[in-house]
Amino acid sequence: MNVCAEVFIVYEILEKREIAANNVLYKIHAPHIARKVQPGQFVVVRAFENGERIPLTPVMWDAEEGWITLVTFIRGRTTLRMNMELQEGDKILNIAGPLGNPAPMKKFGKILAIGMITGIVEVYPIAKAWQEIGNEVITLHIVPEPMIILKEDLEKAVSKHIVESFPLKEGMGMPEIFKELVTRGQAKVRELIEKEKPDLVFMVGPARGQKAIFDVVKEYGIPMEVDLHPIMVDGTGMCGACRVTVGGEVKFACVDGPSFNAYEVNWEELIARSEFYADLEKKALEDYLTKLQQGGAQ
Amino acid sequence: MMTLIKERVPTPERPVEERLKGFMEVNLGYTFELAVKEAERCLQCSPAPCTQGCPVHIDVPGFIRKLRENRDNPEKAVKEALEVIWACNTLPAITGRVCPQEDQCEAVCVMGKVGEPINIGKLERFVADYAREKGIDEKLLQEITPKIEKKKEKVAVIGAGPAGLTCAAELAKEGYQVTIFEALHKPGGVLVYGIPEFRLPKETIEKELEKLKKLGVEIKTDYVVGRTITFDELLEEYDAVFIGTGAGTPKLLNIPGINLNGIYSANEFLTRVNLMKAYAFPEYETPIKVGKKVIVIGAGNTAMDAARTARRLGAEVTIAYRRGEEDVTARVEEVAHAKEEGVKFEFFLNPVEFIGDENGRVKAVKFEKMRPLEERDARGKRKLVPTGETAVLEADTVIIAIGKTTSKLLRMTLPQIEADEHGVIKVNENMMTNIPGVFAGGDAIRGEATVILAMGDGRKAAKGIKQYLEEKRKSS
């Protein structure tokens, strides 16, 4: 196949759907990425001319048809703006990838693969591939009910798929939701470890969530791998924004990871670093909401 | 009686108060009248040392002569001067701005022996800028392009920095089909992510790149060679490959506290500000956090760029360097600009620890005081000894600008290319690597060097590629 044949690739949005509350799926024309991407790898997306670069994970792809799907969790300005301003047929400016190292395709035995909220989208391709090469994979999705996604896909792909969910109550803010995710997640993981005795635990989710689950897993001494999501800019190893301390050494998650041994990660540092821009993220979101409001009033 | 004009004609600059308010270019460049006046100081040496001092050997007296000969016809003057420059350098608006001329063409200018050397860089820049303003470069391109005889051979260039762009331009002028693969969303390499607007306006780069496209060069952005496309696929598809991937991986200090919040590599800091325009947040969506007190560690050009950028974002800035003032490696002009803009300098301080607050944000840097010896090291710098004394400077932001190494990703994904233990690629005299048909240049073969050396390499590699492809054609 002539791999360089495309003179000009446009990342056209072939399909866009809200697959659950705050979870938006984009199916995008990106043949060169679809051809190369492997489970565990990610892409860096820049959707707008004045936009930032954000890392996202291809969930499904088709090398023949030349598309990938990305699922965004609407958590701030860029992901909200993508949902508000990008429709089917529109184009995304830039998608670079695939980036990062593929997940190791080895026979580990029985694997418990955990996704918290939209983290499950990154678990899906890895869990599916692990199952395909002969592992027994149990997936666990820890999530508020309105945000359950990929349920049927995972049920088809792995030995057992468990959804640990809860309804959202009136007045529940992010801190309360997060607390519920952690409490339920920890209890469910404890139960599954006791019952299933996995050989490996793998998890994708917010850093604080990963740390909370790791606290349970380490009591049992079971090997645990985590895909880390520090802040990224270029995603190609040229800036070190995504640096993490693993086993006492500084690593760049974009080129050395994203997968690392949970026992070696400096969690406090990772959590502090991933929250560094929280105030500016809020400011950016408010600025955008103001624009929307004023635009609506015209 | 004639008198020797020893002093150069100065170029106007924006006043300090004005330039600290934004990212507008500091140096405003020559007008035609000023350029001609400066051009008249040139002695028109033959052979000309300045041409030898230029890494791409521009016929400096030649282009200066064109300005003088056509003093009554600015358009003609600039067109002919540009033609002379283009023979060796297709990106003069950039090199005229960022070259360390004082170490190159201007260092060996005969006039420099008795007074100030000819301001070659600013004259080169004038020619390029004036040509662009008046559409003269466009006309020249239209004259050149039909004369290029298209060849069937395809060449892939990895990396759209100064080395890759120059190599691509030279090959396109020879008629080869050139495709550049660039990992970022914009081509330019360090020109777009590293060097700030106030030294090199992004518009200038964009205009220079349009020229390349008109020469028939195709640029694929978002292409990470090794990931999006493998090296083997490139070899299959193309008749030759040039590696111009630069030295983009920042060196970080291996000392306690390096991962505290508020500590940036200069690459990250400058990428956020230059490429992503974080200075215009939230209008541009990439955030940057600069506190009140910034310490920049290092004293090269990158350190000056970072320090002056931080000043423009409203911070008090101190450059801390482990050596002395005489050892500063940044350009004289940049150091002067930094000082004018209120950047403070502290010498003989070697960082040993970053101290953080309870939220994991940096609040101070602990240094050990160093003392210089008379003895010199291999690079001619005074050796340093620690004094055992320490100093603590407060800072809420620290920018590490102690250098860069070759791309980590390249080393991981291109193990077949012979390189030294630092990942610096080995090439022969024609810039060819251990793999036939694969050439390399710029920071990828030098470690961290200058824009113009990278361009020189790109040009030399283009010649090597041409020779290689011609021989290949003959033997097939």
Side-chain angles (χ1 to χ4, degrees), chain A residues 2-4 6-7 9 11 32 36 41 46 48-53 77-78 81 93-102 231 233-234 236-241 243-245 250 252 255-256 269 272-273 276-277 279-280 283-284 287 291, chain B residues 154 181 183-186 193 218 220-224 227-230 233-234 236-238 248-250 252 254 258-265 267-268 271-272 275-276 281-289 359-361 407-409 412:
Chain A
N2 181 344
V3 291
C4 309
E6 305 90 6
V7 172
I9 294 172
Y11 308 105
H32 57 315
K36 280 281 150 41
Q41 292 187 299
R46 177 174 162 267
F48 307 103
E49 196 49 54
N50 62 343
E52 57 179 344
R53 294 166 63 97
R77 177 168 174 145
T78 297
R81 190 172 167 204
L93 283 184
N94 305 97
I95 306 181
L99 300 169
N101 294 307
I231 289 167
V233 182
D234 64 289
T236 63
M238 60 155 270
C239 84
R243 63 190 192 270
V244 288
T245 304
V250 175
F252 290 7
V255 288
D256 298 314
E269 181 187 280
R273 284 184 70 81
F276 183 47
Y277 292 100
D279 54 339
L280 293 180
K283 189 178 164 197
D287 177 76
K291 278 189 186 130
Chain B
K154 292 163 72 181
F181 294 87
L184 287 173
H185 61 270
K186 279 196 179 146
Y193 75 74
E218 187 199 348
K220 283 178 191 274
T221 53
D222 304 323
Y223 255 86
V224 186
R227 297 278 196 214
T228 316
I229 185 166
T230 66
E233 286 169 328
L234 280 184
E236 230 169 81
E237 193 78 23
Y238 292 86
T249 303
L252 292 168
N254 190 18
I258 184 68
N259 289 355
L260 285 167
N261 274 331
I263 303 179
Y264 290 96
S265 73
N267 254 20
E268 181 189 350
T271 298
R272 282 179 183 271
L275 181 69
M276 308 310 295
F281 178 88
E283 190 43 48
Y284 279 78
E285 295 174 340
T286 302
I288 186 125
K289 262 196 181 182
N359 300 316
R361 174 148 194 184
S407 157
K408 204 169 176 172
L409 189 63
M412 287 167 71

Side-chain angles (χ1 to χ4, degrees), chain A residues 73 114-120 140-148 163-169 172-190 203-214 216:
Chain A
F73 174 60
I114 307 163
M116 191 178 271
I117 334 173
T118 312
I120 199 71
L140 169 65
H141 191 192
I142 308 163
V143 63
E145 255 170 35
M147 295 178 199
I148 296 171
V163 178
E164 176 63 30
S165 64
F166 53 90
L168 285 180
K169 287 186 220 102
M172 236 177 164
M174 260 329 275
E176 291 79 32
I177 296 173
F178 190 75
K179 206 175 150 210
E180 191 74 19
L181 285 168
V182 166
T183 319
R184 285 172 178 265
Q186 283 183 325
K188 194 70 194 176
V189 167
R190 191 178 296 280
M203 178 172 180
V204 186
R208 281 180 187 277
Q210 285 176 313
K211 166 75 167 61
I213 298 302
F214 170 64
V216 173

Side-chain angles (χ1 to χ4, degrees), chain B residues 393-406:
Chain B
L393 297 186
E394 273 178 44
D396 43 25
T397 305
V398 177
I399 303 165
I400 315 268
I402 56 165
K404 291 172 268 184
T405 63
T406 50

